[in-house]
Amino acid sequence: MSMKIIITESQFNLLVENANPCPEGKKEDDLITLDQLKKGSVIEKGYCNSNSDSAIVKIQIMMKEKGLLDNKSDNGYYGDKTQNAVKKLFEPSVVEGTKIGPKTLEKLKGDNTNEKKPTEVKSEKISEKEAVTLFNSLTKDEKIVVCTLLGEAGGESDPAKGMTAVANVLKNRAEANHYSYGSTASKQALAKSQFSMWNGYNRGSEGLQDVYDKFKNHNQIKTAINIAKSINTINDITGGAKFYYANYVSPPWAKNTDTTRWVPTETIGKHKFGNIVNKKKP
């Protein structure tokens, strides 16, 4: 009897983090960050570093968002696909050589084009004292939900909409007692390997207070608190979704299998929402 295993987005991300994108026999190169690239460092073809802070990883994510690089390509290795993406980026100009440097980054960000830049997240401009006072007034369950909203979508270009969508998923999971994790949003939030912002907590490297300290001064805390307190009454903008994933990854659980199919519902900000549905037996 065969068993079909479905993994979560967080578990998928762990697999990606542990995977080595370098060709067989090649070790990862020293880290080059975007800041270093801006200051004049360059990346040669064949460079490999899959660290999340690596410039090549961040550049490849931007290329995927612009449709220059397919989503199936691994992040972290500068090979033929990435070089072709660079050539497409600069068309109709002809790219000579293989170096990725400051000009590539400027072009991707649209600094030298008429391309409309992403809307920046606006700070609510509240004092640190006010933010801490607001956060400390919450119940434990409310703090957990607020941190989840901020950690998962507080940095979206439209944070209110992004956090509302995450709250919808928490509510939908709680109502269904998703995977028997619990019938409250906070229990669903803390379920192991479900929401990546809680990875440190679930691995035992962080306590609740450590997580609280990361978000209690967040510039979107007022919005997050308002959403958390109205989680049971806000409109569901996800179409009833219980799952979501970042638009620059392609998790295996969001693909059709012999027994399940992925049903997309909405794309909100940088996340795609949907549900895993069991296929009917013939």
Side-chain angles (χ1 to χ4, degrees):
M1 181 178 178
S2 61
M3 179 181 293
K4 184 69 66 175
I5 299 176
I6 299 173
I7 68 173
T8 67
E9 178 185 355
S10 299
Q11 290 169 327
F12 173 76
N13 288 337
L14 286 175
L15 290 174
V16 172
E17 290 171 6
N18 292 330
N20 184 357
C22 306
E24 186 175 352
K26 177 176 173 57
K27 294 183 179 180
E28 288 202 350
D29 296 301
D30 291 337
L31 176 68
I32 296 176
T33 65
L34 282 183
D35 284 339
Q36 289 173 304
L37 210 65
K38 292 175 185 176
K39 294 176 181 178
S41 296
V42 295
I43 299 172
E44 298 273 7
K45 188 176 180 183
Y47 174 85
C48 184
N49 189 298
S50 60
N51 188 297
S52 59
D53 290 326
S54 173
I56 191 63
V57 169
K58 292 184 179 296
I59 281 174
Q60 287 167 329
I61 289 172
M62 286 188 277
M63 286 177 167
K64 289 177 180 179
E65 291 176 345
K66 287 180 175 288
L68 297 169
L69 193 64
D70 67 79
N71 286 323
K72 294 180 181 179
S73 299
D74 292 331
N75 294 330
Y77 175 64
Y78 179 12
D80 290 337
K81 288 185 177 180
T82 301
Q83 185 181 20
N84 289 334
V86 172
K87 291 179 179 179
K88 290 179 186 177
L89 175 67
F90 282 93
E91 286 179 350
S93 301
V94 177
V95 174
E96 296 182 1
T98 61
K99 294 180 180 179
I100 290 178
K103 289 184 179 180
T104 310
L105 184 59
E106 289 174 1
K107 186 73 172 176
L108 273 170
K109 289 188 171 183
D111 292 350
N112 295 331
T113 68
N114 293 323
E115 182 179 318
K116 185 178 180 181
K117 296 182 180 180
T119 304
E120 293 184 358
V121 177
K122 294 182 179 180
S123 170
E124 294 182 358
K125 298 188 183 303
I126 63 173
S127 69
E128 179 177 330
K129 182 179 180 180
E130 183 181 359
V132 172
T133 299
L134 283 171
F135 188 83
N136 288 340
S137 69
L138 302 174
T139 66
K140 178 182 177 181
D141 285 349
E142 288 172 338
K143 288 178 180 177
I144 291 169
V145 173
V146 165
C147 287
T148 306
L149 303 185
L150 291 169
E152 295 287 317
E156 290 275 10
S157 59
D158 186 343
K161 188 172 184 180
M163 290 191 290
T164 296
V166 173
N168 292 154
V169 170
L170 287 171
K171 178 177 179 287
N172 293 338
R173 287 187 170 208
E175 288 183 341
N177 192 9
H178 182 68
Y179 290 157
S180 299
Y181 290 139
S183 56
T184 66
S186 60
K187 287 181 178 178
Q188 288 291 334
L190 292 184
K192 191 171 183 179
S193 299
Q194 295 300 301
F195 295 88
S196 58
M197 58 84 48
W198 288 103
N199 282 348
Y201 172 79
N202 284 318
R203 292 171 187 157
S205 59
E206 293 179 332
L208 278 177
Q209 189 59 50
D210 296 315
V211 180
Y212 294 164
D213 289 342
K214 281 194 279 187
F215 297 106
K216 64 184 181 183
N217 298 329
H218 198 286
N219 64 7
Q220 294 297 322
I221 196 160
K222 272 189 175 181
T223 303
I225 289 174
N226 289 337
I227 293 171
K229 285 184 174 292
S230 57
I231 191 170
N232 292 319
T233 57
I234 54 176
N235 291 331
D236 189 341
I237 60 175
T238 70
K242 296 187 186 74
F243 297 83
Y244 62 86
Y245 61 93
N247 58 15
Y248 49 83
V249 300
S250 182
W253 49 262
K255 300 180 185 297
N256 292 336
T257 69
D258 293 337
T259 58
T260 64
R261 62 188 177 93
W262 170 252
V263 180
T265 54
E266 297 288 343
T267 297
I268 300 171
K270 296 180 180 178
H271 293 94
K272 295 183 178 182
F273 293 76
N275 286 302
I276 297 171
V277 178
N278 293 324
K279 289 182 177 178
K280 293 182 180 179
K281 295 182 179 179

